[in-house]
Amino acid sequence: MTTRIAVTGAAGRMGKTLIEAVATAGGAVLTAAIERPESSLIGADAGEVSGIGKNSIAISDDINSVLDQFDVLIDFTAPAATVDNVAACQPVGRKLVIGTTGCSRQQLEAIEAAAGKTAICMAANYSVGVNLCFKLADMAARVLGDEADIEIYEAHHRHKVDAPSGTALRLGQVVASALGRDLDEVAVYGREGQTGARDRKTIGFATVRGGDIVGDHTVMYASEGERVEISHRASSRMSFARGAVRAAIWLDARDKGMFDMQDVLDLR
Ligand code: NAD
């Protein structure tokens, strides 16, 4: 079975990489590409925009006009756009692989509600290596957690609009839940001035933005006399794109429900 894939945000950094990843994946074919109506690239050839050469898929400005042309939508856009796309796909049973980060609690609830009627995979990070790090972070927290100060730091390119990254927040959630802590209560987002001594139960976050850094994440467990660090460095967006295409093919065999990359990789 070949999964018919639509990519929205087709002219974005991830959109272009996703179009290239679909073209080289077995078991999937690109059948639609979408951008926001204001884009100057509406009507352009999606393959040419992505840099892989002509593929005869014209970039559309309206998801509703291509709903019958795909099985799974891959959406790496922006929170409001993603919620609109979920609303368009859910009534007709189109499935979604969502990579967009920075969604509010309310937006996440809207996405989760739609998973009662269609299959949705949402992950803060689609790279296989990062998903392995989630597992390692959980393991390290269980072994070292109550004796270590845990800090998470991340670096991304200068264009990233949300902070900390969705992946850093997810790492924080993994660590907090392994230790029975509520991340909303124990998270410390940056420090300045007279902060006082560190409270052992807190989980600190630090953010760096600059240049073209694709995405670096480290979870540090610092205790008396030793320090453990779990680090991941992405060198190309292709790692996220390949994972998202793998998720789309996996999701195509599900009817409904909310999944993430841990499900796709069978890491639970
Ligand atoms: P980008 O700004 O380069 O691309 C976003 C694209 O979405 C733009 O081309 C924009 O025009 C388009 N867009 C916005 N609204 C739209 C709409 N209503 N319909 C169609 N297209 C629309 O950003 P990017 O670097 O590609 O990142 C996009 C998102 O993916 C961000 O939230 C980012 O954090 C996230 N991301 C997630 C992962 C992951 O593995 N989960 C990896 C990288 C980036």
Side-chain angles (χ1 to χ4, degrees), residues 7 35 80 100 139 148 188 253:
V7 170
E35 251 299 335
T100 306
M139 202 187 295
V188 175

Side-chain angles (χ1 to χ4, degrees), residues 4 11 54 59 76 96 98 127 131 138 165 171 189-190 201 217 229 238 252:
R4 298 177 307 154
K54 197 169 167 62
I59 297 180
F76 284 61
L96 296 105
I98 299 173
S127 105
N131 281 277
D138 172 83
S165 71
L171 284 164
Y189 297 107
K201 297 253 182 245
H217 293 90
E229 292 179 341
M238 195 48 90
D252 198 15

Side-chain angles (χ1 to χ4, degrees), residues 167-233:
T167 302
L169 290 169
R170 176 70 199 276
L171 284 164
Q173 275 153 4
V174 166
V175 167
S177 90
L179 297 172
R181 300 178 195 167
D182 179 347
L183 189 63
D184 288 343
E185 283 171 18
V186 299
V188 175
Y189 297 107
R191 299 184 180 91
E192 192 187 21
Q194 297 295 312
T195 59
R198 191 187 191 287
D199 174 351
R200 170 61 46 86
K201 297 253 182 245
T202 57
I203 297 172
F205 289 85
T207 295
V208 171
R209 292 285 176 266
D212 61 356
I213 303 169
V214 175
D216 294 355
H217 293 90
T218 296
V219 188
M220 180 184 77
Y221 306 76
S223 56
E224 296 297 320
E226 64 178 349
R227 192 163 88 218
V228 171
E229 292 179 341
I230 296 170
S231 286
H232 179 271
R233 286 182 172 71

Side-chain angles (χ1 to χ4, degrees), residues 2-188:
T2 300
T3 300
R4 298 177 307 154
I5 291 180
V7 170
T8 186
R13 283 176 288 265
M14 276 307 299
K16 288 190 273 195
T17 317
L18 284 158
I19 288 169
E20 188 182 344
V22 176
T24 54
V29 60
L30 186 80
T31 50
I34 306 136
E35 251 299 335
R36 62 190 163 83
E38 304 78 37
S39 169
S40 59
L41 292 166
I42 301 304
D45 184 276
E48 280 179 350
V49 169
S50 80
I52 60 167
K54 197 169 167 62
N55 64 6
S56 301
I57 305 286
I59 297 180
S60 163
D61 64 353
D62 179 14
I63 187 167
N64 293 299
S65 67
V66 293
L67 276 176
D68 59 346
Q69 292 173 25
F70 64 89
D71 306 306
V72 184
L73 177 74
I74 304 185
D75 182 334
F76 284 61
T77 57
T82 296
V83 171
D84 288 349
N85 289 331
V86 169
C89 287
Q90 181 249 307
V92 286
R94 298 293 170 267
K95 298 156 193 179
L96 296 105
V97 168
I98 299 173
T100 306
T101 62
C103 290
S104 67
R105 198 167 289 252
Q106 202 181 8
Q107 288 168 324
L108 289 174
E109 280 168 10
I111 295 167
E112 277 162 18
K117 296 236 170 83
T118 191
I120 299 178
C121 180
M122 186 166 191
N125 194 309
Y126 279 92
S127 105
V128 173
V130 159
N131 281 277
L132 175 63
C133 286
F134 290 149
K135 192 80 179 168
L136 297 174
D138 172 83
M139 202 187 295
R142 287 175 199 277
V143 176
L144 304 165
D146 285 328
E147 283 154 31
D149 294 322
I150 304 176
E151 300 274 314
I152 297 167
Y153 43 98
E154 56 103 340
H156 278 87
H157 54 88
R158 60 192 304 279
H159 303 287
K160 185 161 177 65
V161 294
D162 53 319
S165 71
T167 302
L169 290 169
R170 176 70 199 276
L171 284 164
Q173 275 153 4
V174 166
V175 167
S177 90
L179 297 172
R181 300 178 195 167
D182 179 347
L183 189 63
D184 288 343
E185 283 171 18
V186 299
V188 175

